[in-house]
Amino acid sequence: MSTSTKKTTQTRFLRRGISKILWVPDLNDPKYPSRREITSAFAVTDAVSDIEGWALENDPIETPDMGSTFNSSIPGNDKAENSSLTFYEDRFSDAIEQQLPKGAKGYVVLLRKGDLPGSRSVDVFPTQVATRAATYSTGNEAAKFKVDFTIIDEPSLDRPVPQAQHRPQPDDNCDDDHDHGQHDHDGDHVDVTVVSTTKTKTEATVREHDDDEG
């Protein structure tokens, strides 16, 4: 009797064009970056030519014993090696250089699978800029500069991509304009009460109640 195994189908992808790299000077909670923080972050994805590091590693402890010739080990301290981003240099703008001067502290946020709300694929690295230096070459290549980062605290890995913010529709704040009032052009709520109507006319007399009148 043979047993069959179900093959798992993966949706494989190329990181280029999908993954996103953000620089955020401050986060309220690195474990749960908000949609507002993600949206307002300084996006550097399109300027990055090379990326190195950005991984949590472990320094195992060897635990040999007299009962075996095999050198066993146990997990030791976690560490994150220094990491870097290499950028294309803009001839007329220094926006990235202004964001990443030597000594700047902030968070490098990596959306590994892109901005896919709900996906647990956000890595947040608390960092400090160690060095920033232009690279020079006489070869046939674009001008670049490299930023080296030190990881100054434990990174938060596999965090959820925040859900997209709901954009309220004009009627969201009022269930029924005819029964519960209307909104003026400034967004303030104005209560409207129908005082009298006639069968022969479609016009209605209305009285507006300011909030001060109760």
Side-chain angles (χ1 to χ4, degrees):
M1 183 175 179
S2 61
T3 59
S4 59
T5 57
K6 185 177 180 180
K7 182 179 179 180
T8 301
T9 302
Q10 289 184 310
T11 303
R12 301 175 183 178
F13 66 100
L14 180 69
R15 290 212 183 276
R16 288 178 57 186
I18 298 294
S19 299
K20 297 184 182 299
I21 307 171
L22 311 175
W23 169 256
V24 189
D26 190 29
L27 287 174
N28 184 50
D29 185 351
K31 292 185 177 180
Y32 294 96
S34 69
R35 171 53 56 180
R36 178 184 59 80
E37 291 170 329
I38 292 294
T39 302
S40 61
F42 187 74
V44 298
T45 311
D46 294 344
V48 172
S49 72
D50 195 18
I51 181 170
E52 297 179 13
W54 309 107
L56 186 64
E57 301 176 358
N58 186 268
D59 190 10
I61 303 170
E62 291 192 0
T63 56
D65 60 74
M66 292 296 293
S68 173
T69 58
F70 178 76
N71 285 338
S72 60
S73 61
I74 60 174
N77 293 323
D78 289 332
K79 61 180 180 179
E81 296 292 346
N82 295 342
S83 304
S84 68
L85 296 172
T86 301
F87 297 93
Y88 289 108
E89 190 168 0
D90 191 309
R91 185 179 179 188
F92 300 107
S93 172
D94 62 352
I96 298 176
E97 292 93 321
Q98 291 292 330
Q99 288 284 332
L100 299 172
K102 178 178 173 60
K105 291 183 179 181
Y107 298 87
V108 172
V109 179
L110 304 173
L111 280 68
R112 302 196 312 270
K113 301 179 183 181
D115 193 349
L116 195 63
S119 171
R120 302 184 69 88
S121 56
V122 179
D123 294 341
V124 181
F125 289 83
T127 65
Q128 183 171 12
V129 176
T131 61
R132 192 197 73 214
T135 60
Y136 296 93
S137 172
T138 59
N140 187 30
E141 61 180 291
K144 303 174 185 178
F145 65 92
K146 185 177 181 180
V147 181
D148 289 306
F149 298 86
T150 55
I151 312 302
I152 60 177
D153 202 350
E154 183 179 0
S156 299
L157 307 179
D158 301 327
R159 307 315 304 160
V161 178
Q163 295 293 332
Q165 289 180 330
H166 172 65
R167 293 181 178 273
Q169 298 300 316
D171 295 334
D172 279 0
N173 296 325
C174 193
D175 294 336
D176 188 340
D177 287 340
H178 297 288
D179 295 337
H180 301 288
Q182 297 178 344
H183 290 78
D184 62 14
H185 295 293
D186 295 330
D188 296 326
H189 191 276
V190 178
D191 289 328
V192 177
T193 303
V194 176
V195 176
S196 64
T197 60
T198 64
K199 294 182 179 179
T200 59
K201 295 182 179 181
T202 58
E203 297 177 353
T205 303
V206 298
R207 181 183 297 117
E208 294 186 357
H209 298 284
D210 295 329
D211 293 338
D212 295 337
E213 295 179 358

